[in-house]
Amino acid sequence: MKINELLDMPVWQLIGEELLFIAQHGNMSTKAKEENSSSKDEKRYVYGVVDIVHLQQ
């Protein structure tokens, strides 16, 4: 299964293995976004496990 397919699924439908896969491979997509963003310190709301994982990196 591709990462984009997993990110489109609701969190409650994911199994543990899929959540771990997102947590481990989510690094690659968030690093590019962080480099493009001008400020990492701005506050924002997070929605779901995927956003929480992105905050930790």
Side-chain angles (χ1 to χ4, degrees):
M1 190 171 265
K2 295 181 181 179
I3 188 91
N4 291 335
E5 293 174 4
L6 290 175
L7 292 174
D8 288 337
M9 290 178 65
V11 174
W12 60 270
Q13 286 184 339
L14 298 174
I15 60 173
E17 182 180 353
E18 293 168 338
L19 286 171
L20 288 175
F21 181 80
I22 290 172
Q24 292 171 352
H25 293 85
N27 285 349
M28 293 179 270
S29 63
T30 58
K31 286 183 182 178
K33 289 179 185 176
E34 287 179 0
E35 291 173 358
N36 292 335
S37 68
S38 60
S39 173
K40 293 182 184 178
D41 295 333
E42 66 184 58
K43 293 182 181 181
R44 66 181 183 99
Y45 292 103
V46 295
Y47 302 95
V49 174
V50 176
D51 282 344
I52 294 171
V53 170
H54 289 188
L55 284 176
Q56 295 177 352
Q57 298 163 4

